[in-house]
Amino acid sequence: ENWVKWAKENRLGLDFNPTLFSHPKAADGLTLSHPNEEIREFWINHCIASRKIGEYFGKELGTPALTNIWIPDGYKDIPSDRLTPRKRL
């Protein structure tokens, strides 16, 4: 609500993005493609809630709000299995 109030006062629109990093459940580098169903479900619900926030911004401000989901899942080195995480995602 505070962001919407600020945006209205400044005649601005707002975009939103769900942060899928800097959280204990992202510590191993996987979120939406995590092999643990409980962790994967946490991130799915987080993204759904984030889309609802973006929708709220758009409705309240009368302008489209982009909800940009950047998925940081991956490995720095060459993974032994490229397909399974992609299937989960």
Side-chain angles (χ1 to χ4, degrees), residues 68-86:
N68 181 25
I69 300 175
W70 177 72
I71 304 167
D73 295 25
Y75 301 100
K76 291 179 95 176
D77 298 319
I78 298 172
S80 60
D81 179 2
R82 294 175 186 266
L83 185 59
T84 304
R86 287 176 171 87

Side-chain angles (χ1 to χ4, degrees), residues 9-80:
E9 289 170 356
N10 292 280
R11 298 180 183 193
L12 297 170
L14 294 173
D15 292 335
F16 193 75
N17 72 299
T19 300
L20 300 179
F21 51 88
S22 297
H23 186 282
K25 290 192 178 193
D28 60 5
L30 297 173
T31 59
L32 291 169
S33 68
H34 202 287
N36 180 310
E37 188 174 340
E38 183 181 316
I39 292 174
R40 195 168 57 250
E41 191 68 25
F42 169 85
W43 290 110
I44 290 168
N45 290 331
H46 175 69
C47 288
I48 290 170
S50 296
R51 288 185 56 144
K52 290 179 182 179
I53 292 168
E55 179 184 28
Y56 169 75
F57 285 170
K59 284 182 179 179
E60 289 294 312
L61 298 171
T63 184
L66 175 69
T67 302
N68 181 25
I69 300 175
W70 177 72
I71 304 167
D73 295 25
Y75 301 100
K76 291 179 95 176
D77 298 319
I78 298 172
S80 60

